[in-house]
Amino acid sequence: MSNARTARFSRRGLLAAGGALGLGALVTACGSEDSKDGGSESTAGAQSGPWSFKDDRGKTVKLDKAPATIVAFTGVAAALYDYGVTVKGVFGPTKTQDGKPDVQAGDMDISKVTILGNTWDQFNVEKYAALAPDVLISTMFDDAGTLWYVPEASKDKIAKLGPSVGVSVYDRQITAPLQRMWELAESLGGDMKSAKAADAKKRFEEASERLRKAAKANPGIKVMAGSASQELFYVSGTNLSIDLEYFKALGVNFVEPPEKAKAQGGGWFESLSWENVDKYQADIIMMDDRSSAIQPADITEATWKKLPAVKAGQVIARSAEPILSYDKCVPLVENLAKAIETAKKVS
């Protein structure tokens, strides 16, 4: 992973690594600047009247009415979709090379949104302007307010075309951005009192308790979070990543690369050559499921196939950029809980 302080690294290279990587672009928010705590200032203005929302940069966006034309990073759009809020345009991984929805698109019908860019550094400013956006929404993977997948080269042009909202997914547990997305969706007219929304939140809480119990009952089971590229294997540390920080807080025993080893990855991960992929012993390996990473079934390196967890079939998917709705986060927690409950000690 990376943050704004790791500008010396190749953005494309970092994007391929474990966790949310790369350097987005800082979009200056329209509106006043407040405290850094964030919070919704209006949860009832989605249908009529003024609308305002204070984001995680401490910036408050104020509009005469709730945004009707929303453009969002694909993962954000997918989370809003789960709460009944639709967007007009998206940017970020939306469809795969064969035209199918990317994993980060969730349940959205991608044929009904304008795709402004599908890969890193792609963002069609002309199409964006044509949409006449009311607001742009993205996540942030640093503490500098850098909006994810907004290109550095065009960030200023984009900022002039409308206000933006940033939701931080940096150095906190996943429960914090889940709550922020809930508040944002509610302000935009999402039906947060629906049975579906309430059930998803309850299932997330139940899954979390299941994971807590599984970790407590199996303290010796070691979990490693990894991501694969052609040249390197990346081992993510638990600090900074919203999912791993949460799982660690629930008691999961993770492989933790030393800070010195993670220095070249901006504190997010350690890079290993495939010859050294066995540096750490693990009973379960969680692998980055994003389309930018090589998936376990496609890894051909013999050193990978010899890993005890791989030979035991104890490799599960990890959403390094979780879709921030409770519904989409439930299986992330349940899958890890089940893996720990059933894992054999192989390390």
Side-chain angles (χ1 to χ4, degrees), residues 133-268:
D134 293 319
V135 68
L136 178 149
I137 309 172
S138 191
T139 47
M140 302 181 297
F141 283 92
D142 60 31
D143 55 6
T146 304
L147 293 178
W148 191 232
Y149 265 81
V150 174
E152 179 71 21
S154 54
K155 65 175 184 178
D156 293 335
K157 292 181 181 179
I158 293 168
K160 291 178 181 178
L161 294 170
S164 62
V165 167
V167 176
S168 179
V169 288
Y170 173 72
D171 194 18
R172 62 202 62 201
Q173 294 179 28
I174 197 171
T175 45
L178 273 172
Q179 179 61 29
R180 295 296 284 134
M181 194 62 68
W182 177 284
E183 294 167 358
L184 179 57
E186 186 175 34
S187 80
L188 294 169
D191 185 2
M192 317 313 287
K193 295 181 180 179
S194 69
K196 178 182 178 182
D199 177 67
K201 197 169 186 178
K202 181 182 179 181
R203 287 188 292 112
F204 178 82
E205 294 166 353
E206 291 173 345
S208 297
E209 183 58 27
R210 177 183 174 183
L211 178 56
R212 187 194 303 276
K213 291 180 179 178
K216 185 176 182 180
N218 301 277
I221 296 298
K222 199 82 170 178
V223 181
M224 180 167 67
S227 185
S229 71
Q230 290 288 351
E231 297 81 14
L232 297 168
F233 182 81
Y234 306 90
V235 180
S236 291
T238 56
N239 294 335
L240 308 183
S241 297
I242 58 173
D243 60 330
L244 302 185
E245 285 201 9
Y246 184 58
F247 298 154
K248 179 174 65 174
L250 292 176
V252 177
N253 183 11
F254 278 101
V255 167
E256 195 71 65
E259 292 302 316
K260 185 177 181 180
K262 295 186 294 182
Q264 288 190 333
W268 294 89

Side-chain angles (χ1 to χ4, degrees), residues 306-330:
K306 291 179 181 178
L307 292 178
V310 176
K311 292 172 68 175
Q314 295 177 174
V315 178
I316 64 173
R318 175 203 171 202
S319 294
E321 292 183 58
I323 293 173
L324 295 171
S325 72
Y326 287 102
D327 180 70
K328 292 300 180 292
C329 288
V330 168

Side-chain angles (χ1 to χ4, degrees), residues 30-32 34 41 51-53 60-65 163:
C30 296
S32 61
D34 296 294
E41 295 191 352
W51 178 87
S52 66
F53 190 86
T60 300
V61 176
K62 297 180 179 181
L63 301 173
D64 292 338
K65 59 182 180 179

